[in-house]
Amino acid sequence: MMGHVLDNLDPPHTSSQHLVLGRKEATIKSVRILCNSNDIVVSIDTSDVFNGMIYPKGLSKNSSCMAEFKEQTNPILYKLPLTSCSTMSSEMEDGIEYFNTVVVQPHRKLVTNQGRGYHIRCKYQTQEKTVTNTFNVSGDFIDDAEWKAPNGSSFIGTTPLTATAPMPGCYMRIFAGTPADKLVAENVRIGDPLTMVISLDDQEIYGMKVTNCLVRDGLGWGEQMLINSDGCPVDYEILGELEYSSSKTTAAVRFQAHKFPYTSSVYYQCNVKLCIKNAGGCDDVPPVCVEGSNVLRRRRRRDVSEIDGNGDLDDMEGEVDENMTIEVITGLYVNEDEELPEPEGASDTLSPVKEEVLEDPNTFCLSPKTFAIGIAIAGLILMIAVIASILILISRRRRRKEDSTTGSSIYSSPYTNTAYSHSS
């Protein structure tokens, strides 16, 4: 195991690492990390006592992953879990690497621009493991043979058989789209198609059964069961049935990306129970689920049994499964549509639907913001036009009234009274 701090995420104009610790200005002398089996310990040395908080990037809001320090002397130790608190992993050729970004803030209540971020990485090398199983094999060729079990019970006419085989490597990967694309999902949006693949190394001895799968928020606040102890789905709308390969060394299921409402970190965890294919231990794989229960497992429980020291029939499956269970965990970031930035080069890559729309000369697209601004401007122009029309009508009516008043006259023509007219 080895680890290192990639770099410190200072602003471009800042070259020194000064933190205002309390009322004094102190300097971060060194940052070291220790890669443990279950966590990463970040050790920070400063020139003065530390008053502030340390947390993974993006988890400063009442997070269980945030640690507060008051008058803390050197060394300042911060423990970062490997399977929570936004710590993610990536597979390497010779192992697996866990990484995270830790923020050191010099204030216990406020997030300021004096904070410093550090990329933390720990690389773990994989190593082979050996599984040893003891079976009681009946032998008619043994006469009066007696073998003492570790618990003191005797088995007449049996002989111990020890089988040793290397433990196969077990992996969980979540692919964007289908596994054929070979694109491991890291940052996705809600509703994006994903494929979960759980697999063993290629070998002929062991098969596997995937059970007790759940999704966690990585903060210890919430989790949701996906696959129960029988290997059956709990909620088909979230995650359906696993599809096993004929060799029973690979299981896959397609689903849509989902998340908890308060964090973008999502962790998937499953128990992988190894079974010996030649001994009939994988006869209940894949499970046949009826109302959340594997009917093949119930049948196998009736068929597979052994006689203990008291002469009772006990199911031996539980002991084998307990000693041969591997826990696999993987995680990814699931973002809202507006939270995930467009990847580089996305503007040059268009889906077939978008290309068809853009190539149509009779079609044009407007963003909702542009459309709203256009509607507002059109409404304003219409309002001005209506007001102008009203003013013009009022002005015309006033002119008509003024013309009818000033232009009127009384016409008098010569009056002749025919009663007094006299002709000579």
Side-chain angles (χ1 to χ4, degrees):
M1 297 180 294
M2 60 181 179
H4 60 279
V5 182
L6 274 187
D7 53 12
N8 112 55
L9 305 180
D10 286 345
H13 62 277
T14 305
S15 58
S16 60
Q17 301 181 50
H18 293 280
L19 296 181
V20 181
L21 308 181
R23 294 184 176 180
K24 300 179 180 179
E25 184 176 290
T27 303
I28 294 181
K29 296 181 177 179
S30 63
V31 178
R32 300 185 300 272
I33 62 174
L34 177 64
C35 302
N36 298 327
S37 58
N38 296 318
D39 55 52
I40 302 173
V41 177
V42 182
S43 177
I44 302 175
D45 288 337
T46 62
S47 60
D48 207 331
V49 293
F50 178 65
N51 289 281
M53 53 186 175
I54 303 177
Y55 55 87
K57 183 180 178 181
L59 298 180
S60 60
K61 299 179 180 179
N62 299 324
S63 171
S64 58
C65 305
M66 181 183 65
E68 294 186 5
F69 299 89
K70 183 178 181 181
E71 301 294 329
Q72 180 66 44
T73 58
N74 292 328
I76 303 163
L77 300 179
Y78 174 70
K79 185 177 294 186
L80 190 64
L82 293 182
T83 58
S84 60
C85 297
S86 294
T87 303
M88 296 299 172
S89 61
S90 61
E91 295 182 7
M92 313 294 289
E93 293 183 357
D94 56 346
I96 186 170
E97 186 178 62
Y98 291 87
F99 58 91
N100 205 332
T101 300
V102 174
V103 178
V104 181
Q105 280 287 349
H107 199 284
R108 291 190 295 116
K109 299 297 181 182
L110 301 177
V111 177
T112 68
N113 61 354
Q114 297 295 325
R116 296 291 178 265
Y118 298 90
H119 288 305
I120 305 298
R121 293 184 179 270
C122 271
K123 185 177 181 181
Y124 297 81
Q125 294 181 351
T126 56
Q127 58 183 0
E128 293 185 357
K129 296 182 180 180
T130 301
V131 178
T132 302
N133 297 299
T134 300
F135 302 94
N136 298 319
V137 182
S138 176
D140 296 335
F141 53 87
I142 298 179
D143 296 330
D144 298 330
E146 181 176 355
W147 178 67
K148 292 291 184 178
N151 59 3
S153 59
S154 299
F155 297 92
I156 304 299
T158 62
T159 182
L161 174 64
T162 301
T164 302
M167 172 79 78
C170 187
Y171 311 95
M172 175 192 285
R173 301 179 181 91
I174 296 181
F175 294 95
T178 63
D181 299 332
K182 297 182 179 180
L183 178 61
V184 177
E186 295 182 355
N187 283 278
V188 298
R189 293 183 174 94
I190 293 178
D192 284 353
L194 303 174
T195 304
M196 176 189 295
V197 178
I198 303 173
S199 60
L200 296 177
D201 288 338
D202 291 335
Q203 36 74 44
E204 299 297 333
I205 299 177
Y206 296 106
M208 69 175 186
K209 295 179 290 186
V210 180
T211 62
N212 298 106
C213 293
L214 55 87
V215 57
R216 299 186 289 105
D217 59 4
L219 304 176
W221 294 349
E223 64 180 37
Q224 173 66 41
M225 183 65 68
L226 302 176
I227 302 292
N228 61 19
S229 58
D230 276 3
C232 297
V234 176
D235 189 344
Y236 282 83
E237 293 184 359
I238 303 299
L239 193 73
E241 293 186 6
L242 291 162
E243 298 180 1
Y244 287 80
S245 62
S246 58
S247 62
K248 300 181 181 180
T249 57
T250 302
V253 59
R254 296 182 181 182
F255 65 102
Q256 292 182 333
H258 47 257
K259 66 184 290 290
F260 293 89
Y262 46 82
T263 179
S264 61
S265 301
V266 181
Y267 293 87
Y268 294 90
Q269 174 181 326
C270 291
N271 288 341
V272 179
K273 296 182 179 180
L274 300 183
C275 56
I276 300 177
K277 292 186 282 188
N278 294 334
C282 303
D283 291 345
D284 57 346
V285 180
V288 177
C289 298
V290 177
E291 296 181 354
S293 179
N294 182 11
V295 296
L296 295 180
R297 186 178 183 185
R298 290 200 297 265
R299 294 175 183 173
R300 184 167 180 254
R301 282 180 175 177
R302 292 193 298 265
D303 298 337
V304 182
S305 60
E306 68 174 354
I307 301 178
D308 64 4
N310 299 325
D312 299 329
L313 293 176
D314 290 335
D315 182 17
M316 64 179 292
E317 180 187 11
E319 180 181 354
V320 175
D321 287 345
E322 182 180 357
N323 296 330
M324 302 170 63
T325 300
I326 304 173
E327 183 179 83
V328 290
I329 302 175
T330 189
L332 70 158
Y333 297 106
V334 181
N335 303 273
E336 304 286 350
D337 288 342
E338 63 273 10
E339 293 177 354
L340 185 63
E342 291 290 340
E344 295 182 2
S347 58
D348 300 332
T349 305
L350 302 176
S351 64
V353 176
K354 290 183 178 179
E355 288 180 356
E356 181 179 356
V357 171
L358 291 177
E359 291 175 358
D360 188 357
N362 299 324
T363 305
F364 67 95
C365 297
L366 292 176
S367 65
K369 183 177 180 180
T370 304
F371 180 75
I373 294 175
I375 292 295
I377 295 175
L380 181 60
I381 294 175
L382 181 60
M383 185 181 298
I384 294 175
V386 171
I387 295 175
S389 300
I390 294 174
L391 293 177
I392 292 173
L393 291 176
I394 294 174
S395 176
R396 287 183 177 181
R397 288 184 179 180
R398 288 181 178 178
R399 289 181 180 178
R400 289 179 180 178
K401 289 182 179 181
E402 291 177 359
D403 293 341
S404 61
T405 302
T406 58
S408 62
S409 60
I410 299 177
Y411 172 78
S412 60
S413 60
Y415 176 76
T416 305
N417 191 347
T418 56
Y420 292 95
S421 65
H422 177 72
S423 60
S424 59

